[in-house]
């Protein structure tokens, strides 16, 4: 006892954090000291016990293992006050368990508790693997840690099931509180239905020692929130236990709420129909939540017709609320057809009609519908169908209603405006100019009411570029984004530069590109050019058809590689970038320079069919060279396409050295393009 106490005292003195820092010891070295001193303590205590046993006659000796003194338990609090690394507790526990002596349960529980409080998964896993099933308190500590502290209820459930199967003594078996704890943890995370049902089955098998109540079943149903089949099995089990064993677990309204929620969250085909069948056969009076869950199950399948029928029943039973109305619009949106959107707009008219009208729904005033949210649903549906005109008209109608007395509920939110702007950016080619003007009008209206973001501004920029007016995109949106307290991103610049390039406005594209490049050179800039930016600028240069432009494109390519390697910019050139530079040379019809760059790019990327098609254009008057290029394509297993055929035959018509062109054209077609 005195040897053990002295050894422990030396250990406790060593783990003073301040002394560890002064001596240059890290947490790892402190852990090693714990391990070493604990082994010495165990060996000295065992040796002392063996010496005493050798000096005692066998007839008077009772072979009992030495116990660590109570002082060791008291000294544990000294360790805790010194705040040693968590691994030290695990090492000490291993050393104490490995010797021939035994330790008190209090000391072991304190060590495990310290490991649990450390939230160290590695130590927890190690302690769990070395667990003794005869210590229920330690097992329960670990289950609590896995389930509540580390948020891994599956580990806690598996440990609980192993505990029940490995324990033989009645007083060491898990109690009902532990089962409830695990079921609660499983219900808080998805995909735990199978394990929760297994835990419930284990409880039922322990009858009459354990008796499940309705609360246990509800926790299992919570874990089955995405597994309606198991939820129904659990419901049937409740009914069977209530009828045959007399348990007070007969399903109530809360039970059916959980069941309908499971079908509502399910994405199984026919989930809405099955939920409706259960609603029809429900032995208790369904409440508003039950009806809404069934409506949501129908909405997930886009069955808006059936959903509207159920809504009418719900209104008659006075079980509907505002969520019920919103769910009907969700059903129309999920259907995603023109017929569904027309039906949604008709439904919008019905809920907004006067109470004295024949087709209006008699909705309670507290529902406060229609409102901006219901209009936003229909506007979004028209926008997704590519009907910006109808979406625009509904938004105008909404704004008129918002200006009338009592029209606060009709005030359009950002979602309404963004849906219409997004639809305008995808509208037909005939109305691109009008769509851009409307999008600009909506953007300025939003700027006066809401905080804009870069995505909305970029969408309006896209509207202007589709209208072939990049100058308006720059002047009316990009240059004003700072005034709107919106930071332009790289998409803002790339969209405008690409539009300049497509329209051959090289000077404007180069000016915006240089502006971006100069701002990126400052350390405070958050917008850096990427590979799309450089490629767009190269595309603009290819329209000038000059040697200077082609050479400048090659310089930009070298800059891209330099910025990528030295400053980690997102400018790694790809095959599309190389093809754009190659196009600059090929438009000059300079086959020699184009061929030179082509062989150079082969060292970095693998040419594709576009690369060869561009190179064919460079040899517009040399049919023999064109044929050799196509042969090279076939040899590299690059399939020639329609553009290859058209380009090669065009080269044939321009090469005056070839005779019998009709015959050669026929033979070429049969050879490469049959």
């Amino acid at each position: 006892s005195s040897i053990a106490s002295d050894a422990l005292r030396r250990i406790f003195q060593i783990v003073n954090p301040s002394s560890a820092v002064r001596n240059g010891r890290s947490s790892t070295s402190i852990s090693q000291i714990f391990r070493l001193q604990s082994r010495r303590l165990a060996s000295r205590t065992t040796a002392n016990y063996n010496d005493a046993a050798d000096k005692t006659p066998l007839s008077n000796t009772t072979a009992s293992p030495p116990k660590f003194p109570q002082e060791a338990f008291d000294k544990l609090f000294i360790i805790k006050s010194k705040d040693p690394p968590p691994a030290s507790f695990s090492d000490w526990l291993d050393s104490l368990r490995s010797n021939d002596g035994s330790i008190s349960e209090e000391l072991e529980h304190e060590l495990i508790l310290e490991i649990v409080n450390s939230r160290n998964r590695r130590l927890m896993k190690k302690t769990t693997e070395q667990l003794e099933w005869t210590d229920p308190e330690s097992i329960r500590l670990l289950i609590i840690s896995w389930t509540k502290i580390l948020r891994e209820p599956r580990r806690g459930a598996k440990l609980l099931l192993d505990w029940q199967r490995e324990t033989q003594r009645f007083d060491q078996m898990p109690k009902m509180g532990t089962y409830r704890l695990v079921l609660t943890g499983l219900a808080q995370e998805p995909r735990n239905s199978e394990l929760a049902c297994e835990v419930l089955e284990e409880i039922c098998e322990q009858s009459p020692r354990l008796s499940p109540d309705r609360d246990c079943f509800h926790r299992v149903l919570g874990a089955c929130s995405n597994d309606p089949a198991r939820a129904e099995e659990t419901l049937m089990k409740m009914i069977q236990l209530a009828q045959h064993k007399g348990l007070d677990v007969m399903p109530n309204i809360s039970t059916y709420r959980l069941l309908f929620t499971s079908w509502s969250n399910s994405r199984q085909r026919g989930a809405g129909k099955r939920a409706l069948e259960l609603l029809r056969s429900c032995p208790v009076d369904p409440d508003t939540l039950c009806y809404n869950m069934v409506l949501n199950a129908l909405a997930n399948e886009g069955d808006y017709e059936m959903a509207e029928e159920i809504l009418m029943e719900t209104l008659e039973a006075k079980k509907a609320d505002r969520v019920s109305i919103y769910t009907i619009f969700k059903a129309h949106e999920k259907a995603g057809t023109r017929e569904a959107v027309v039906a949604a707009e008709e439904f919008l008219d019905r809920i907004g009609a006067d109470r004295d009208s024949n087709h209006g729904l008699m909705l309670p005033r507290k529902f406060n519908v229609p409102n901006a949210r219901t209009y936003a649903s229909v506007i979004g549906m028209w926008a997704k169908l590519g009907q910006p005109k109808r979406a625009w008209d509904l938004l105008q109608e909404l704004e008129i209603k918002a200006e009338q007395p009592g029209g606060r509920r009709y005030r359009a939110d950002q979602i309404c405006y963004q849906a219409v702007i997004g639809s305008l950016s995808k509208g037909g080619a005939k109305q691109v100019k009008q769509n851009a003007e409307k999008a600009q009008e909506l953007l300025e209206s939003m700027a006066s009411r809401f905080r804009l973001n870069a995505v909305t501004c970029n969408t309006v920029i896209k509207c202007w570029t589709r209208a072939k007016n990049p100058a308006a995109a720059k002047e009316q949106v990009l240059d004003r984004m700072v005034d709107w307290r919106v930071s332009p991103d790289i998409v803002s610049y790339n969209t405008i530069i690409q539009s300049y390039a497509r329209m051959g406005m090289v000077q404007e594209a180069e000016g915006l590109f240089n502006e971006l490049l100069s701002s990126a050179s400052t350390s405070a800039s958050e917008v850096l050019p990427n590979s799309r930016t450089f490629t767009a600028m190269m595309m603009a240069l290819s329209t000038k058809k000059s040697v200077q432009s082609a050479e400048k494109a090659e310089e930009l390519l070298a800059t891209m590689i330099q910025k990528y390697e030295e400053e980690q910019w997102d400018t790694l050139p790809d095959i599309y970038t190389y093809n754009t530079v190659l196009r600059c040379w090929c438009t000059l019809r300079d086959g020699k320079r184009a061929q030179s760059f082509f062989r150079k790019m082969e060292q970095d990327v693998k040419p594709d069919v576009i690369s060869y098609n561009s190179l064919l254009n460079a040899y517009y008057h040399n049919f023999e060279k064109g044929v050799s290029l196509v042969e090279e394509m076939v040899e590299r297993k690059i399939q020639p396409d329609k553009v290859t055929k058209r380009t090669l035959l065009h080269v044939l018509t321009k090469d005056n050295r070839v005779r019998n062109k009709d015959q050669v054209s026929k033979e070429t077609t049969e050879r490469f393009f049959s």
Side-chain angles (χ1 to χ4, degrees):
S1 225
S2 61
I3 294 174
S5 181
D6 292 340
L8 284 171
R9 188 177 296 107
R10 286 196 295 274
I11 296 174
F12 302 149
Q13 292 172 352
I14 288 174
V15 285
N16 188 329
S18 59
S19 64
V21 174
R22 287 195 301 269
N23 297 331
R25 295 192 181 101
S26 64
S27 296
T28 304
S29 63
I30 295 176
S31 178
Q32 293 172 350
I33 291 171
F34 257 94
R35 189 181 300 112
L36 177 62
Q37 295 293 341
S38 298
R39 288 175 181 172
R40 289 177 180 174
L41 168 62
S43 61
R44 291 182 62 183
T45 305
T46 305
N48 184 59
Y49 167 72
N50 292 334
D51 291 343
D54 292 339
K55 297 177 183 179
T56 305
L58 290 176
S59 59
N60 298 329
T61 303
T62 302
S64 60
K67 293 184 178 295
F68 280 84
Q70 182 64 31
E71 184 182 0
F73 178 70
D74 298 333
K75 293 291 184 179
L76 177 64
F77 294 98
I78 300 178
I79 294 181
K80 292 164 66 175
S81 65
K82 303 300 183 181
D83 195 21
S88 304
F89 293 103
S90 178
D91 293 337
W92 191 28
L93 182 61
D94 291 343
S95 299
L96 294 176
R97 281 176 172 174
S98 63
N99 68 73
D100 295 333
S102 63
I103 60 176
S104 65
E105 291 184 358
E106 292 84 0
L107 180 57
E108 184 172 6
H109 294 165
E110 279 294 328
L111 290 171
I112 293 178
L113 185 60
E114 290 299 322
I115 295 172
V116 166
N117 291 334
S118 70
R119 298 172 181 262
N120 189 308
R121 281 177 168 77
R122 183 183 63 82
L123 296 180
M124 281 288 300
K125 185 177 180 181
K126 176 183 175 183
T127 306
T128 303
E129 292 172 351
Q130 299 175 352
L131 198 60
E132 297 180 3
W133 301 110
T134 57
D135 186 3
E137 187 61 30
S138 298
I139 303 174
R140 188 171 182 277
L141 278 174
L142 292 172
I143 291 175
I144 293 174
S145 176
W146 284 119
T147 306
K148 296 189 67 174
I149 301 177
L150 298 180
R151 303 293 182 184
E152 295 188 26
R154 296 184 64 85
R155 284 185 179 269
K158 291 177 181 178
L159 180 58
L160 174 61
L161 293 173
D162 291 341
W163 180 14
Q164 176 62 48
R165 293 162 187 164
E166 296 292 337
T167 303
Q168 302 297 329
R169 290 180 53 180
F170 185 84
D171 59 336
Q172 294 178 351
M173 292 183 178
K175 294 182 173 57
M176 196 65 198
T178 309
Y179 283 101
R180 291 182 191 277
L181 173 73
V182 171
L183 287 176
T184 302
L186 292 173
Q188 293 174 353
E189 295 182 4
R191 299 183 299 276
N192 288 332
S193 57
E194 183 179 358
L195 199 53
C197 290
E198 190 176 349
V199 173
L200 178 64
E201 190 66 30
E202 192 69 36
I203 297 174
C204 295
E205 291 179 359
Q206 295 301 314
S207 179
R209 186 180 73 87
L210 299 177
S211 180
D213 55 9
R214 190 181 290 111
D215 182 64
C216 289
F217 283 97
H218 286 177
R219 295 174 198 231
V220 175
L221 287 171
C224 297
S225 59
N226 291 310
D227 193 347
R230 283 197 171 90
E232 282 199 46
E233 292 176 3
T234 304
L235 178 72
M236 296 305 299
K237 192 173 189 64
M238 292 179 69
I239 297 174
Q240 291 174 2
L241 289 176
Q243 292 177 349
H244 299 136
K245 294 192 176 183
L247 297 180
D248 185 18
V249 292
M250 184 61 71
N252 58 12
I253 186 63
S254 298
T255 312
Y256 283 94
R257 285 175 185 166
L258 292 167
L259 177 63
F260 291 131
T261 301
S262 181
W263 280 110
S264 175
N265 295 335
S266 173
R267 293 295 183 266
Q268 297 180 13
R269 180 176 296 180
K273 183 179 179 181
R274 179 55 183 162
L276 184 57
E277 292 175 357
L278 292 171
L279 181 69
R280 301 294 190 203
S281 61
C282 184
V284 298
D285 186 22
D287 61 0
T288 301
L289 183 59
C290 293
Y291 277 105
N292 285 345
M293 290 298 104
V294 175
L295 285 174
N296 192 59
L298 293 169
N300 289 333
E301 297 180 341
D303 192 352
Y304 60 90
E305 294 178 349
M306 182 59 69
E308 288 188 22
E309 291 182 15
I310 300 301
L311 177 66
M312 298 306 297
E313 297 180 14
T314 311
L315 290 171
E316 291 178 3
K318 297 183 179 181
K319 299 290 181 67
D321 61 2
R322 193 187 308 174
V323 177
S324 310
I325 306 299
Y326 294 155
T327 309
I328 300 301
F329 286 104
K330 177 183 177 181
H332 292 98
E333 184 179 359
K334 284 288 184 180
T337 62
R338 184 180 181 85
E339 293 78 10
V341 182
V342 172
E345 195 164 345
E346 292 176 355
F347 182 74
L348 181 65
D349 293 337
R350 290 171 64 194
I351 65 175
D354 295 334
R355 298 175 65 87
D356 298 332
S357 62
N358 295 327
H359 70 286
L361 294 179
M362 301 297 292
L363 298 180
R365 297 188 185 278
K366 64 180 182 180
F367 284 11
N368 204 28
V369 290
N371 53 25
R373 178 170 175 176
T374 56
Y375 271 88
S377 299
V378 182
I379 289 172
M381 294 179 211
W382 283 118
K384 288 182 180 179
L385 288 179
Q387 298 291 331
K389 184 179 183 305
R390 188 56 193 148
W392 169 270
D393 292 342
L394 280 175
L395 181 59
Q396 299 304 308
E397 178 183 332
L398 184 62
E399 290 185 334
I400 292 173
K401 288 189 175 184
E403 295 175 357
Q404 296 175 354
R408 182 175 181 180
R409 70 185 186 187
Y410 292 105
R411 290 181 182 176
D413 56 8
Q414 285 181 286
I415 298 176
C416 292
Y417 286 97
Q418 290 168 350
V420 177
I421 291 175
S423 177
L424 291 169
S425 69
K426 302 173 184 177
K430 295 181 180 180
Q431 297 86 21
V432 288
K433 182 179 179 181
Q434 295 85 342
N435 290 345
E437 293 172 351
K438 290 179 179 179
Q440 184 68 35
E441 180 183 342
L442 292 179
L443 183 67
E444 294 179 0
S445 178
M446 289 182 67
S448 62
R449 297 176 53 191
F450 309 109
R451 176 72 180 268
L452 297 178
N453 56 38
V455 175
T456 307
C457 294
N458 291 341
T459 308
V460 180
I461 288 175
K462 180 182 176 182
C463 291
W464 283 116
T465 56
R466 289 189 74 234
K468 297 182 179 180
N469 194 348
K474 182 179 184 300
E475 295 170 3
Q476 299 192 41
V477 184
L478 183 64
D479 293 344
R480 298 173 63 185
M481 288 176 71
V482 177
D483 298 333
W484 294 330
R485 295 180 298 172
V486 180
S487 299
D489 57 13
I490 191 59
V491 177
S492 312
Y493 287 94
N494 286 351
T495 305
I496 299 177
I497 294 175
Q498 288 170 357
S499 181
Y500 280 139
R502 285 192 293 266
M503 298 184 65
M505 303 171 68
V506 183
Q507 186 175 357
E508 291 81 356
E510 194 169 7
L512 186 57
F513 176 80
N514 291 333
E515 176 186 332
L516 176 61
L517 206 61
S518 60
S519 65
S521 61
T522 62
S523 58
S525 176
E526 297 180 357
V527 183
L528 300 176
N530 56 20
S531 57
R532 288 174 179 257
T533 315
F534 281 89
T535 304
M537 189 61 234
M538 295 171 183
M539 189 189 307
L541 293 171
S542 68
T543 62
K544 292 189 69 172
K545 299 181 180 181
S546 66
V547 175
Q548 293 80 2
S549 298
E551 291 175 346
K552 193 166 188 177
E554 280 203 58
E555 293 176 2
L556 289 177
L557 179 64
T559 304
M560 290 178 68
I561 299 174
Q562 178 187 358
K563 294 295 184 180
Y564 173 77
E565 294 177 349
E566 297 180 0
E567 302 183 32
Q568 289 75 48
W569 284 15
D570 183 19
T571 54
L572 180 65
D574 54 11
I575 183 61
Y576 185 71
T577 307
Y578 281 96
N579 284 342
T580 305
V581 180
L582 179 63
R583 181 183 175 186
C584 292
W585 288 113
C586 293
T587 53
L588 298 175
R589 303 296 174 90
D590 188 345
K592 184 177 180 181
R593 297 290 296 268
Q595 182 84 9
S596 174
F597 179 78
F598 183 84
R599 298 308 173 194
K600 188 188 302 182
M601 69 177 275
E602 285 181 309
Q603 302 174 7
D604 299 324
V605 295
K606 180 182 178 181
D608 58 5
V609 64
I610 299 176
S611 310
Y612 280 97
N613 290 343
S614 298
L615 194 56
L616 279 172
N617 274 317
Y619 292 99
Y620 73 104
H621 62 285
N622 192 337
F623 179 70
E624 182 180 357
K625 182 63 177 177
V627 170
S628 66
L629 287 175
V630 177
E631 290 175 346
E632 184 179 323
M633 289 178 65
V634 175
E635 184 179 350
R636 289 188 168 188
K637 298 182 179 181
I638 300 175
Q639 184 65 36
D641 58 8
K642 294 180 180 180
V643 178
T644 312
K645 177 182 177 181
R646 184 171 63 249
T647 306
L648 183 61
L649 295 181
H650 179 71
V651 171
L652 174 62
T653 60
K654 296 295 182 180
D655 193 345
N656 296 325
R657 296 171 297 178
V658 180
R659 305 298 178 185
N660 301 323
K661 293 186 179 181
D662 293 339
Q663 181 65 25
V664 173
S665 175
K666 182 178 179 181
E667 293 174 355
T668 303
T669 303
E670 292 177 353
R671 180 183 178 187
F672 297 113
F673 308 105
S674 59

